[in-house]
Amino acid sequence: MPESTAARRPAWVARLLTRDAALIAVLVLVLVLASAALPRFASPVTVGYLLLNAVPVLLLALPMTLIIITGEIDLSVASTVGITTATIGSLNLAGWEFLPAVLVALLVGVIAGAVNGALIAFVGLPSLAVTIGTLALYRGLTLVLIGDNSVSSSQYPEGFTSLINAKVGATGIPIVMGFVILAAAVFIIVLHATPFGRGLYALGFSKEAATFVGVHVPWAKFWLFTASGLVAAFVGVFWSTYYSARSDSANGLELTVIAAVLLGGVSIFGGRGTVIGALTGVLIISNINYALRLQRVPDVVLIIITGSLLIVSVVGPSVVDAARRRIQRARRHRTRPLAEARGIDGA
Amino acid sequence: MTLVDHRTRSLRDRAISLLRLREVPVSVALIALVVVTALLNPRFLTAQSTKDLLLNATIVMILATGQAIVIITRNVDLSVGSILGISGFMTGTLFATVPGIPIPVVFIIGVLLGSALGALNGLLVTVAGVPALVITLGTLYIYRGINNAWAGGREYFSGDRPRAFGDLSVDTVLGFPIITLIALLVLLALAVVLAGTRFGRDFYAIGSDPDAAKLFGIRVRSRVFSAFVINGALAGLGGVLYASRFSSVGATTGTGIELDVVAAAVVGGVAIFGGSGTVVGAAIGALLLTTITSSLAALRVDKFWQQAVVGMLILAAIIIDRIAALRTARRLRVSEARDA
Amino acid sequence: MEFLRKHGSSPRRRLLTFAATGTVAALLLSACAADAGGEAGGGEGSSEGASISFIPKNLNNPYITLELSGAKEAAEELGFTYAEAAPLDAGADSQIPFIQTEVQNGTQILAVSPNDPDAVCPALEDARAGGAKIITFDSDSAVECRDLFINQTSVEGVAAGQLEQLFDQIGGTGEIAILSATAAAPNQNAWIEAMIQQIEESDEYEWDLVATVYGDDDDTKSFQEAQGLLQSYPDLAGIISPTTVGIAATARYLSTSEYKGQVALVGLGLPGQMKEYLDDGTVQAFALWDPSEVGYLTAYAGKALLEGTITGAEGDTFDAGKLGSYTVGPDGLVIVGELLKFTPENIDEYDYISF
């Protein structure tokens, strides 16, 4: 980062903004290229399909971003989605109405998240290990709950399923996106406009720093994981009405979410990343995938592209940074041989 | 303090430190599980069942051994399932397309292939200085994609492979299947290297504090790189053994095994943030996790409960580990206070 | 990556605003531009050059590769533009984007094996609205979402055939178990249900069905489940595994264990994969159909639908090339044929069911 910027505002702010801008530029580029190359891509039909398919990952990316910013991780989200769909499905089989079943499912999601949160925040266990455990546990309980049954959306009142598929006028944008935007707004405000949110960045750098700026570290972690469970439960509700409730609902989705969030510039070390970046990451992956599928490019190529994007998006900046630092150091040595060549090291 | 006093205390300390070994809780759990299951269902310990238990654990054991080394250096490798898949399919392809290829050659090729893929992980992690979780999540996708592209809808069945190769996972020596013996040899060698050599202890130093390790003059990058290569080689070996044991190898072989492997290491007392744990512990963790599945089946516990039990076990393992760590820390504080 | 090098030169002021407008612009761009996709041509008469797309449960699986080989063969005979697309795993969510993109590509005949019978419906309805003909094969969607369902053989036939093969080996008594694919697989559950019903209704079948376990169509898991069955049920007389992955894994386990020849194994298996177990005596008989015929018939049914020869109503008949003539049954169901039963005597006649 050139000196002038670093002087005007904290280096990490500038870095976040430029990274987001770059990501959005990439997204726009992908959209323009796909629209130009594929006549059928730019249509309300694409918008509708693509966004609806992306809803689960978009939603799950929100709490995941905050959690990764604090230096933790939640691998159990997909299993939490599974257990909440199984709750709705099995209650439906037991003769419950849809809405009460949804309320119970949301409660189940909150409890699942709170269990993670309590083990991580108050017992002090590493989140990676805890959530590998609950990944297996919640998926196991999903199986216990729903067994070999499959409860499809046709079981629920017509209104809910048509609401899920409803679009805003002729734009093709699904009504459900309203909820996603609302949820995103909440997370953006919490992360970027409250002391709590700013404390999360501090937490990502060090616990002591966070305590110093007034964050109660255990409670912050506890609420983050509980929020993750709640959001996963909402995804579970969406899943059971858009797809169905089965023992394998959302199996393996956690890696997709994490890959998208990391691609969106959230640092796995914590302390760096934005909600907008993460959401852009999700949209970049889903747009590329959708465009390539329209061209009938096999899925094999898609997963290779996803993997490569992920690696390039983290290796790229680190290589560029290293190169820039070297150039800068060389330049400083030329002009002021004794000056310190340190001080702009980021996360 | 008298001399006698001193000696008894050191004996007691030694006993305590033995109990504090990270392998102890997991071994106790394993023994308890086997004993309880065998009491309830005597068939659990027949020759056939014991052989099956060992065979089931073998491949995850090998992978967990490698993973333990990577985790000890404060890294992780999520791409092992994909590496195993490629190596397994390579094994199937070699036997089907090169008639009469000697079995050791296939082993060597599988291990080399795995090492190469592991080396790529290691290079990306060390040279770019990027977290292993991200890199190996990426290569998990890439290697799996390559495996899919290569295999397509093809699968090689056990009928395509020489009988002698399949027999490696059928024949036993002293009750131990041959592939299990291979795994135990590898495990033993690595355990000795890790505990008894400078090279091995460097891994712990790096995992405990990478910066301090660097200050001490340890070549951190080269050590971390070699951890990934060793892990890749073991995943490659796992792929060859997979082809010997199971009926088919194809595009999806080994999918999703990475979380089992990490879980086995964690259950076996390898701390997820590096610096502590042993390969033996990880291997016992793998044995425990696979035995759980078998013993739940032997006890006729509802199929649907099995995965939930595995989840609870993982949580129990890390909680026990945490309690043990807290105790140790307290004792250290107390003894420091006493010495001061 | 080019974009990452732009760090230094990208605008730094009001970037969040830019971010918001950028996203909105991107959405509007794709929302407002161009036409609505999916204009499939209906119309009666010749179907030469029509487009047909096959969307199986997943790709890279020998059974599906076989099915698609028949589909490709028929498409070539008919002069169709053939395409195939599917996810790598058989999840409910992963298959739907493939249907959606085929809808947008304006494919005229859409042949799908739904991983989830209801979740595929909105996309299939969109395809229909665009004039496409919808056929399900191998597994069915909700009846109202498709024109025809091409099934290998009747659910009752599959169940009865396997039970008969088991009866021939162990008689009508003893403990038996089922090793299935995933707990949520619709085909498997339909077959298992039919088997249970037939056992209950028959006077000859006095078996005690002690367990149903799930190998998730995963070699490793199926293998361990087979082994778990034998350990927990010492008196087990027979195992039925109505899945090609499950039966092969179980056979592999039996052939390497002391239970070889002691426990009967029947089910649905691929001849190429199972031959060695017939030869070494682990298995005496198993069954399947020719998967390629399923694909082949599906393509011909598509032609008949597209040309307007049939509508999918009960009693409609159509020509299916080398397979002869077929009649549509109730609910648009077309049955490809009988269950093929393989034994050591006839296995060599069927080695064409391979790839």
Side-chain angles (χ1 to χ4, degrees), chain B residues 171-188:
Chain B
D171 294 343
T172 54
V173 175
L174 304 171
F176 285 88
I178 295 171
I179 64 167
T180 310
L181 288 176
I182 296 176
L184 289 177
L185 277 181
V186 170
L187 174 64
L188 199 70

mmCIF file with all atom_site columns, all heavy atoms in Angstrom, chain B residues 171-188:
data_model
loop_
_atom_site.group_PDB
_atom_site.id
_atom_site.type_symbol
_atom_site.label_atom_id
_atom_site.label_alt_id
_atom_site.label_comp_id
_atom_site.label_asym_id
_atom_site.label_entity_id
_atom_site.label_seq_id
_atom_site.pdbx_PDB_ins_code
_atom_site.Cartn_x
_atom_site.Cartn_y
_atom_site.Cartn_z
_atom_site.occupancy
_atom_site.B_iso_or_equiv
_atom_site.pdbx_formal_charge
_atom_site.auth_seq_id
_atom_site.auth_comp_id
_atom_site.auth_asym_id
_atom_site.auth_atom_id
_atom_site.pdbx_PDB_model_num
ATOM 1   N N   . ASP B 1 171 ? -5.193 -62.087 3.652  1.00 0.00 ? 171 ASP B N   1
ATOM 2   C CA  . ASP B 1 171 ? -4.310 -62.992 4.400  1.00 0.00 ? 171 ASP B CA  1
ATOM 3   C C   . ASP B 1 171 ? -3.807 -62.332 5.676  1.00 0.00 ? 171 ASP B C   1
ATOM 4   O O   . ASP B 1 171 ? -3.622 -61.128 5.738  1.00 0.00 ? 171 ASP B O   1
ATOM 5   C CB  . ASP B 1 171 ? -3.116 -63.381 3.520  1.00 0.00 ? 171 ASP B CB  1
ATOM 6   C CG  . ASP B 1 171 ? -3.572 -64.210 2.330  1.00 0.00 ? 171 ASP B CG  1
ATOM 7   O OD1 . ASP B 1 171 ? -4.706 -64.721 2.387  1.00 0.00 ? 171 ASP B OD1 1
ATOM 8   O OD2 . ASP B 1 171 ? -2.819 -64.300 1.348  1.00 0.00 ? 171 ASP B OD2 1
ATOM 9   N N   . THR B 1 172 ? -3.580 -63.193 6.674  1.00 0.00 ? 172 THR B N   1
ATOM 10  C CA  . THR B 1 172 ? -3.107 -62.652 7.939  1.00 0.00 ? 172 THR B CA  1
ATOM 11  C C   . THR B 1 172 ? -1.795 -63.299 8.352  1.00 0.00 ? 172 THR B C   1
ATOM 12  O O   . THR B 1 172 ? -1.482 -64.426 7.962  1.00 0.00 ? 172 THR B O   1
ATOM 13  C CB  . THR B 1 172 ? -4.121 -62.916 9.066  1.00 0.00 ? 172 THR B CB  1
ATOM 14  O OG1 . THR B 1 172 ? -4.402 -64.317 9.093  1.00 0.00 ? 172 THR B OG1 1
ATOM 15  C CG2 . THR B 1 172 ? -5.415 -62.152 8.826  1.00 0.00 ? 172 THR B CG2 1
ATOM 16  N N   . VAL B 1 173 ? -1.011 -62.563 9.124  1.00 0.00 ? 173 VAL B N   1
ATOM 17  C CA  . VAL B 1 173 ? 0.186  -63.096 9.755  1.00 0.00 ? 173 VAL B CA  1
ATOM 18  C C   . VAL B 1 173 ? -0.010 -62.874 11.250 1.00 0.00 ? 173 VAL B C   1
ATOM 19  O O   . VAL B 1 173 ? -0.206 -61.738 11.683 1.00 0.00 ? 173 VAL B O   1
ATOM 20  C CB  . VAL B 1 173 ? 1.435  -62.334 9.265  1.00 0.00 ? 173 VAL B CB  1
ATOM 21  C CG1 . VAL B 1 173 ? 2.665  -62.818 10.025 1.00 0.00 ? 173 VAL B CG1 1
ATOM 22  C CG2 . VAL B 1 173 ? 1.614  -62.507 7.772  1.00 0.00 ? 173 VAL B CG2 1
ATOM 23  N N   . LEU B 1 174 ? -0.021 -63.965 12.025 1.00 0.00 ? 174 LEU B N   1
ATOM 24  C CA  . LEU B 1 174 ? -0.259 -63.866 13.467 1.00 0.00 ? 174 LEU B CA  1
ATOM 25  C C   . LEU B 1 174 ? -1.570 -63.147 13.768 1.00 0.00 ? 174 LEU B C   1
ATOM 26  O O   . LEU B 1 174 ? -1.661 -62.368 14.714 1.00 0.00 ? 174 LEU B O   1
ATOM 27  C CB  . LEU B 1 174 ? 0.883  -63.124 14.160 1.00 0.00 ? 174 LEU B CB  1
ATOM 28  C CG  . LEU B 1 174 ? 2.300  -63.685 13.955 1.00 0.00 ? 174 LEU B CG  1
ATOM 29  C CD1 . LEU B 1 174 ? 3.331  -62.724 14.505 1.00 0.00 ? 174 LEU B CD1 1
ATOM 30  C CD2 . LEU B 1 174 ? 2.427  -65.057 14.595 1.00 0.00 ? 174 LEU B CD2 1
ATOM 31  N N   . GLY B 1 175 ? -2.579 -63.334 12.921 1.00 0.00 ? 175 GLY B N   1
ATOM 32  C CA  . GLY B 1 175 ? -3.868 -62.701 13.160 1.00 0.00 ? 175 GLY B CA  1
ATOM 33  C C   . GLY B 1 175 ? -3.964 -61.285 12.627 1.00 0.00 ? 175 GLY B C   1
ATOM 34  O O   . GLY B 1 175 ? -5.036 -60.701 12.621 1.00 0.00 ? 175 GLY B O   1
ATOM 35  N N   . PHE B 1 176 ? -2.829 -60.714 12.192 1.00 0.00 ? 176 PHE B N   1
ATOM 36  C CA  . PHE B 1 176 ? -2.862 -59.358 11.648 1.00 0.00 ? 176 PHE B CA  1
ATOM 37  C C   . PHE B 1 176 ? -2.914 -59.395 10.126 1.00 0.00 ? 176 PHE B C   1
ATOM 38  O O   . PHE B 1 176 ? -2.051 -60.033 9.502  1.00 0.00 ? 176 PHE B O   1
ATOM 39  C CB  . PHE B 1 176 ? -1.625 -58.575 12.077 1.00 0.00 ? 176 PHE B CB  1
ATOM 40  C CG  . PHE B 1 176 ? -1.665 -58.121 13.503 1.00 0.00 ? 176 PHE B CG  1
ATOM 41  C CD1 . PHE B 1 176 ? -1.189 -58.935 14.521 1.00 0.00 ? 176 PHE B CD1 1
ATOM 42  C CD2 . PHE B 1 176 ? -2.206 -56.882 13.824 1.00 0.00 ? 176 PHE B CD2 1
ATOM 43  C CE1 . PHE B 1 176 ? -1.247 -58.518 15.840 1.00 0.00 ? 176 PHE B CE1 1
ATOM 44  C CE2 . PHE B 1 176 ? -2.258 -56.467 15.145 1.00 0.00 ? 176 PHE B CE2 1
ATOM 45  C CZ  . PHE B 1 176 ? -1.789 -57.282 16.157 1.00 0.00 ? 176 PHE B CZ  1
ATOM 46  N N   . PRO B 1 177 ? -3.880 -58.736 9.535  1.00 0.00 ? 177 PRO B N   1
ATOM 47  C CA  . PRO B 1 177 ? -3.899 -58.661 8.068  1.00 0.00 ? 177 PRO B CA  1
ATOM 48  C C   . PRO B 1 177 ? -2.627 -57.984 7.574  1.00 0.00 ? 177 PRO B C   1
ATOM 49  O O   . PRO B 1 177 ? -2.081 -57.114 8.273  1.00 0.00 ? 177 PRO B O   1
ATOM 50  C CB  . PRO B 1 177 ? -5.119 -57.788 7.764  1.00 0.00 ? 177 PRO B CB  1
ATOM 51  C CG  . PRO B 1 177 ? -5.936 -57.802 9.007  1.00 0.00 ? 177 PRO B CG  1
ATOM 52  C CD  . PRO B 1 177 ? -4.990 -58.027 10.136 1.00 0.00 ? 177 PRO B CD  1
ATOM 53  N N   . ILE B 1 178 ? -2.174 -58.360 6.374  1.00 0.00 ? 178 ILE B N   1
ATOM 54  C CA  . ILE B 1 178 ? -0.899 -57.822 5.883  1.00 0.00 ? 178 ILE B CA  1
ATOM 55  C C   . ILE B 1 178 ? -0.938 -56.301 5.741  1.00 0.00 ? 178 ILE B C   1
ATOM 56  O O   . ILE B 1 178 ? 0.011  -55.615 6.122  1.00 0.00 ? 178 ILE B O   1
ATOM 57  C CB  . ILE B 1 178 ? -0.520 -58.499 4.547  1.00 0.00 ? 178 ILE B CB  1
ATOM 58  C CG1 . ILE B 1 178 ? -0.263 -59.983 4.821  1.00 0.00 ? 178 ILE B CG1 1
ATOM 59  C CG2 . ILE B 1 178 ? 0.725  -57.862 3.946  1.00 0.00 ? 178 ILE B CG2 1
ATOM 60  C CD1 . ILE B 1 178 ? -0.092 -60.821 3.588  1.00 0.00 ? 178 ILE B CD1 1
ATOM 61  N N   . ILE B 1 179 ? -2.060 -55.753 5.244  1.00 0.00 ? 179 ILE B N   1
ATOM 62  C CA  . ILE B 1 179 ? -2.056 -54.293 5.070  1.00 0.00 ? 179 ILE B CA  1
ATOM 63  C C   . ILE B 1 179 ? -2.013 -53.588 6.430  1.00 0.00 ? 179 ILE B C   1
ATOM 64  O O   . ILE B 1 179 ? -1.471 -52.493 6.548  1.00 0.00 ? 179 ILE B O   1
ATOM 65  C CB  . ILE B 1 179 ? -3.232 -53.766 4.203  1.00 0.00 ? 179 ILE B CB  1
ATOM 66  C CG1 . ILE B 1 179 ? -4.580 -54.019 4.836  1.00 0.00 ? 179 ILE B CG1 1
ATOM 67  C CG2 . ILE B 1 179 ? -3.182 -54.304 2.802  1.00 0.00 ? 179 ILE B CG2 1
ATOM 68  C CD1 . ILE B 1 179 ? -5.703 -53.216 4.148  1.00 0.00 ? 179 ILE B CD1 1
ATOM 69  N N   . THR B 1 180 ? -2.563 -54.230 7.455  1.00 0.00 ? 180 THR B N   1
ATOM 70  C CA  . THR B 1 180 ? -2.470 -53.631 8.788  1.00 0.00 ? 180 THR B CA  1
ATOM 71  C C   . THR B 1 180 ? -1.025 -53.640 9.273  1.00 0.00 ? 180 THR B C   1
ATOM 72  O O   . THR B 1 180 ? -0.556 -52.672 9.885  1.00 0.00 ? 180 THR B O   1
ATOM 73  C CB  . THR B 1 180 ? -3.359 -54.392 9.780  1.00 0.00 ? 180 THR B CB  1
ATOM 74  O OG1 . THR B 1 180 ? -4.646 -54.532 9.204  1.00 0.00 ? 180 THR B OG1 1
ATOM 75  C CG2 . THR B 1 180 ? -3.477 -53.656 11.092 1.00 0.00 ? 180 THR B CG2 1
ATOM 76  N N   . LEU B 1 181 ? -0.314 -54.725 8.972  1.00 0.00 ? 181 LEU B N   1
ATOM 77  C CA  . LEU B 1 181 ? 1.096  -54.786 9.358  1.00 0.00 ? 181 LEU B CA  1
ATOM 78  C C   . LEU B 1 181 ? 1.891  -53.683 8.653  1.00 0.00 ? 181 LEU B C   1
ATOM 79  O O   . LEU B 1 181 ? 2.749  -53.045 9.257  1.00 0.00 ? 181 LEU B O   1
ATOM 80  C CB  . LEU B 1 181 ? 1.675  -56.162 9.020  1.00 0.00 ? 181 LEU B CB  1
ATOM 81  C CG  . LEU B 1 181 ? 1.179  -57.293 9.921  1.00 0.00 ? 181 LEU B CG  1
ATOM 82  C CD1 . LEU B 1 181 ? 1.736  -58.624 9.453  1.00 0.00 ? 181 LEU B CD1 1
ATOM 83  C CD2 . LEU B 1 181 ? 1.587  -57.036 11.371 1.00 0.00 ? 181 LEU B CD2 1
ATOM 84  N N   . ILE B 1 182 ? 1.571  -53.460 7.374  1.00 0.00 ? 182 ILE B N   1
ATOM 85  C CA  . ILE B 1 182 ? 2.247  -52.378 6.647  1.00 0.00 ? 182 ILE B CA  1
ATOM 86  C C   . ILE B 1 182 ? 2.004  -51.055 7.376  1.00 0.00 ? 182 ILE B C   1
ATOM 87  O O   . ILE B 1 182 ? 2.921  -50.271 7.623  1.00 0.00 ? 182 ILE B O   1
ATOM 88  C CB  . ILE B 1 182 ? 1.719  -52.289 5.192  1.00 0.00 ? 182 ILE B CB  1
ATOM 89  C CG1 . ILE B 1 182 ? 2.065  -53.576 4.433  1.00 0.00 ? 182 ILE B CG1 1
ATOM 90  C CG2 . ILE B 1 182 ? 2.297  -51.071 4.480  1.00 0.00 ? 182 ILE B CG2 1
ATOM 91  C CD1 . ILE B 1 182 ? 1.513  -53.634 3.017  1.00 0.00 ? 182 ILE B CD1 1
ATOM 92  N N   . ALA B 1 183 ? 0.733  -50.827 7.747  1.00 0.00 ? 183 ALA B N   1
ATOM 93  C CA  . ALA B 1 183 ? 0.375  -49.589 8.429  1.00 0.00 ? 183 ALA B CA  1
ATOM 94  C C   . ALA B 1 183 ? 1.126  -49.469 9.755  1.00 0.00 ? 183 ALA B C   1
ATOM 95  O O   . ALA B 1 183 ? 1.627  -48.403 10.109 1.00 0.00 ? 183 ALA B O   1
ATOM 96  C CB  . ALA B 1 183 ? -1.125 -49.535 8.661  1.00 0.00 ? 183 ALA B CB  1
ATOM 97  N N   . LEU B 1 184 ? 1.213  -50.582 10.504 1.00 0.00 ? 184 LEU B N   1
ATOM 98  C CA  . LEU B 1 184 ? 1.876  -50.539 11.802 1.00 0.00 ? 184 LEU B CA  1
ATOM 99  C C   . LEU B 1 184 ? 3.369  -50.238 11.662 1.00 0.00 ? 184 LEU B C   1
ATOM 100 O O   . LEU B 1 184 ? 3.937  -49.483 12.447 1.00 0.00 ? 184 LEU B O   1
ATOM 101 C CB  . LEU B 1 184 ? 1.675  -51.861 12.547 1.00 0.00 ? 184 LEU B CB  1
ATOM 102 C CG  . LEU B 1 184 ? 0.237  -52.090 13.049 1.00 0.00 ? 184 LEU B CG  1
ATOM 103 C CD1 . LEU B 1 184 ? 0.101  -53.456 13.705 1.00 0.00 ? 184 LEU B CD1 1
ATOM 104 C CD2 . LEU B 1 184 ? -0.173 -50.985 14.017 1.00 0.00 ? 184 LEU B CD2 1
ATOM 105 N N   . LEU B 1 185 ? 3.980  -50.814 10.613 1.00 0.00 ? 185 LEU B N   1
ATOM 106 C CA  . LEU B 1 185 ? 5.397  -50.543 10.371 1.00 0.00 ? 185 LEU B CA  1
ATOM 107 C C   . LEU B 1 185 ? 5.624  -49.064 10.111 1.00 0.00 ? 185 LEU B C   1
ATOM 108 O O   . LEU B 1 185 ? 6.530  -48.439 10.684 1.00 0.00 ? 185 LEU B O   1
ATOM 109 C CB  . LEU B 1 185 ? 5.886  -51.355 9.162  1.00 0.00 ? 185 LEU B CB  1
ATOM 110 C CG  . LEU B 1 185 ? 6.281  -52.798 9.453  1.00 0.00 ? 185 LEU B CG  1
ATOM 111 C CD1 . LEU B 1 185 ? 6.758  -53.469 8.174  1.00 0.00 ? 185 LEU B CD1 1
ATOM 112 C CD2 . LEU B 1 185 ? 7.399  -52.805 10.501 1.00 0.00 ? 185 LEU B CD2 1
ATOM 113 N N   . VAL B 1 186 ? 4.768  -48.503 9.240  1.00 0.00 ? 186 VAL B N   1
ATOM 114 C CA  . VAL B 1 186 ? 4.879  -47.080 8.905  1.00 0.00 ? 186 VAL B CA  1
ATOM 115 C C   . VAL B 1 186 ? 4.713  -46.252 10.176 1.00 0.00 ? 186 VAL B C   1
ATOM 116 O O   . VAL B 1 186 ? 5.477  -45.315 10.452 1.00 0.00 ? 186 VAL B O   1
ATOM 117 C CB  . VAL B 1 186 ? 3.804  -46.697 7.866  1.00 0.00 ? 186 VAL B CB  1
ATOM 118 C CG1 . VAL B 1 186 ? 3.743  -45.193 7.708  1.00 0.00 ? 186 VAL B CG1 1
ATOM 119 C CG2 . VAL B 1 186 ? 4.091  -47.365 6.538  1.00 0.00 ? 186 VAL B CG2 1
ATOM 120 N N   . LEU B 1 187 ? 3.711  -46.624 10.957 1.00 0.00 ? 187 LEU B N   1
ATOM 121 C CA  . LEU B 1 187 ? 3.411  -45.899 12.188 1.00 0.00 ? 187 LEU B CA  1
ATOM 122 C C   . LEU B 1 187 ? 4.610  -45.930 13.132 1.00 0.00 ? 187 LEU B C   1
ATOM 123 O O   . LEU B 1 187 ? 5.023  -44.902 13.680 1.00 0.00 ? 187 LEU B O   1
ATOM 124 C CB  . LEU B 1 187 ? 2.186  -46.547 12.847 1.00 0.00 ? 187 LEU B CB  1
ATOM 125 C CG  . LEU B 1 187 ? 1.791  -46.027 14.214 1.00 0.00 ? 187 LEU B CG  1
ATOM 126 C CD1 . LEU B 1 187 ? 1.365  -44.579 14.105 1.00 0.00 ? 187 LEU B CD1 1
ATOM 127 C CD2 . LEU B 1 187 ? 0.657  -46.861 14.789 1.00 0.00 ? 187 LEU B CD2 1
ATOM 128 N N   . LEU B 1 188 ? 5.169  -47.121 13.292 1.00 0.00 ? 188 LEU B N   1
ATOM 129 C CA  . LEU B 1 188 ? 6.298  -47.293 14.202 1.00 0.00 ? 188 LEU B CA  1
ATOM 130 C C   . LEU B 1 188 ? 7.466  -46.414 13.762 1.00 0.00 ? 188 LEU B C   1
ATOM 131 O O   . LEU B 1 188 ? 8.062  -45.696 14.571 1.00 0.00 ? 188 LEU B O   1
ATOM 132 C CB  . LEU B 1 188 ? 6.718  -48.765 14.192 1.00 0.00 ? 188 LEU B CB  1
ATOM 133 C CG  . LEU B 1 188 ? 7.558  -49.203 15.373 1.00 0.00 ? 188 LEU B CG  1
ATOM 134 C CD1 . LEU B 1 188 ? 6.698  -49.218 16.622 1.00 0.00 ? 188 LEU B CD1 1
ATOM 135 C CD2 . LEU B 1 188 ? 8.154  -50.582 15.112 1.00 0.00 ? 188 LEU B CD2 1
#
